[in-house]
Amino acid sequence: MARKKEIPVYLFTGFLDSGKTTFIQKTLEDSRFNAGESTLLVLCEEGDVEYDPASFAADNVALQVVEAPTELTEENFKTWLKVSKAERVMIEYNGMWLLDGLYSALPEDWIVAQEITFADAASYASYNANMRNLVYDKLKSCEVVLFNRLDGDTDTMALHRIVRQSNRRCNIAYEYKDGHSEADTIEDPLPFDIDAPVVKIADKDYALFYSDLMDDMEKYDGKTVEFLSLCARDTSLPGGTFVGGRHMMNCCAADIQFAGLLCYWPGAGAFGKGSWMRLTGKLVLEENKIYAGRGPVVRVTSAVPTEEPADPVATFY
């Protein structure tokens, strides 16, 4: 059976009036991008700026307006693609809608080729303070964050930190009111020494450690680590093993999850429920069913009982 042709999806996210429409308009006016491929443009938000199809580089764009997130279904996506006969899809997504709903609705052969988040530099800190869950939602999987409307007094470090609390891999760019643009060049040194004989993770840095570990596990393979841990036992785990880690919050209380690592230690059976320990051990990568594949395992050499910390939930801020 012939494999279905994959449909590339270009996803643009951000809050109202963040510059999404202007960017998409200019992109479709550029003949280097819009060289004749038929395009389905899905509009999930209508701001003050309107599209001008007459200025597009080619007469090949079908617009589909979406009024509510419930309209974003696999069936609708397939219908819109069939009617438009499009070869690719661009989505201007509503900043108030969560991305998980969109990703779960995309047909299997629709592949997100690029995800860009747009942000008004003047209002972004306010959004982060008041709607952190929505800010995190748009940052967690994007490849590029484009801050616009900056002036000479804009604190780029503050914007950089907001992004890096959620995503340490995406690129960041700044577009100033005078028209010039620049890439973010702020370095992100880890707050712990990854090359030390023992990589000591401060209590406040567990979320960053865990996130960085999951992003780049190979970097930690063979390292000896020390961290504060809530130790969880489960009847499904074999003797001498437990899961050590912390509850972690990315954006708000609703998304708190236990971020743990499989640990080997002969004394694991002596742990009481909800025991807090300061663990030291060698972190190695190996196959294990708890990860459904290869994952980080800590071969514990020391487990020292300790009190529950003042802030038992690890955060990025």
Side-chain angles (χ1 to χ4, degrees):
M1 181 181 293
R3 182 180 179 182
K4 285 186 178 180
K5 180 182 178 181
E6 292 182 345
I7 302 298
V9 178
Y10 299 89
L11 177 58
F12 305 94
T13 70
F15 297 106
L16 190 66
D17 297 329
S18 60
K20 302 188 296 293
T21 302
T22 299
F23 181 88
I24 296 171
Q25 174 73 35
K26 290 181 179 179
T27 300
L28 290 173
E29 290 177 0
D30 190 338
S31 59
R32 290 172 298 178
F33 178 84
N34 195 5
E37 302 94 331
S38 54
T39 303
L40 170 63
L41 176 55
V42 180
L43 307 180
C44 301
E45 184 176 68
E46 293 185 272
D48 294 335
V49 179
E50 296 184 357
Y51 285 99
D52 178 16
S55 299
F56 293 164
D59 183 19
N60 61 346
V61 180
L63 275 65
Q64 177 65 49
V65 176
V66 178
E67 301 289 349
T70 52
E71 296 177 41
L72 298 176
T73 65
E74 182 176 358
E75 181 179 1
N76 281 343
F77 278 131
K78 289 180 177 179
T79 299
W80 298 336
L81 189 72
K82 183 177 181 180
V83 171
S84 66
K85 299 179 180 179
E87 301 171 77
R88 61 185 179 186
V89 177
M90 302 176 78
I91 301 177
E92 180 179 352
Y93 201 61
N94 191 313
M96 305 304 290
W97 301 352
L98 294 175
L99 277 171
D100 288 350
L102 171 67
Y103 272 101
S104 63
L106 292 177
E108 185 178 354
D109 55 336
W110 288 31
I111 307 300
V112 176
Q114 190 172 45
E115 181 182 335
I116 303 178
T117 289
F118 295 80
D120 182 342
S123 60
Y124 203 65
S126 177
Y127 276 113
N128 187 59
N130 296 291
M131 294 187 291
R132 173 65 186 166
N133 63 320
L134 292 173
V135 169
Y136 170 75
D137 181 67
K138 306 308 177 294
L139 290 175
K140 62 183 181 181
S141 57
C142 71
E143 298 166 63
V144 180
V145 181
L146 178 59
F147 288 105
N148 50 47
R149 303 166 195 166
L150 282 78
D151 56 35
D153 296 325
T154 302
D155 184 357
T156 55
M157 176 60 83
L159 299 175
H160 174 96
R161 285 174 176 166
I162 292 173
V163 175
R164 288 294 179 248
Q165 287 168 0
S166 304
N167 187 327
R168 290 183 59 82
R169 287 179 172 269
C170 69
N171 294 316
I172 305 172
Y174 305 107
E175 185 176 274
Y176 288 79
K177 292 178 181 177
D178 64 8
H180 87 276
S181 301
E182 59 185 38
D184 180 281
T185 57
I186 299 172
E187 294 186 10
D188 290 299
L190 292 167
F192 42 83
D193 185 357
I194 190 70
D195 294 317
V198 178
V199 183
K200 296 185 177 183
I201 311 302
D203 297 353
K204 64 182 178 61
D205 295 327
Y206 182 83
L208 180 58
F209 158 69
Y210 186 84
S211 177
D212 194 59
L213 169 62
M214 292 299 110
D215 280 344
D216 190 2
M217 291 190 293
E218 299 291 340
K219 181 170 65 179
Y220 290 86
D221 191 17
K223 300 289 185 179
T224 297
V225 296
E226 177 190 309
F227 58 94
L228 179 67
S229 171
L230 177 63
C231 301
R233 285 280 300 155
D234 188 288
T235 55
S236 66
L237 294 174
T241 63
F242 65 97
V243 177
R246 301 276 298 275
H247 285 95
M248 194 168 90
M249 180 172 70
N250 284 308
C251 64
C252 59
D255 84 337
I256 293 176
Q257 294 182 327
F258 189 69
L261 306 173
L262 183 64
C263 299
Y264 295 157
W265 193 53
F271 289 160
K273 184 177 181 180
S275 298
W276 284 90
M277 299 279 178
R278 190 161 298 280
L279 302 179
T280 303
K282 186 175 182 179
L283 194 154
V284 295
L285 303 180
E286 60 182 51
E287 296 285 333
N288 194 283
K289 65 179 182 180
I290 196 173
Y291 295 118
R294 195 164 180 251
V297 172
V298 180
R299 298 187 178 280
V300 177
T301 55
S302 172
V304 180
T306 187
E307 297 295 321
E308 177 178 325
D311 296 313
V313 177
T315 67
F316 290 93
Y317 45 91

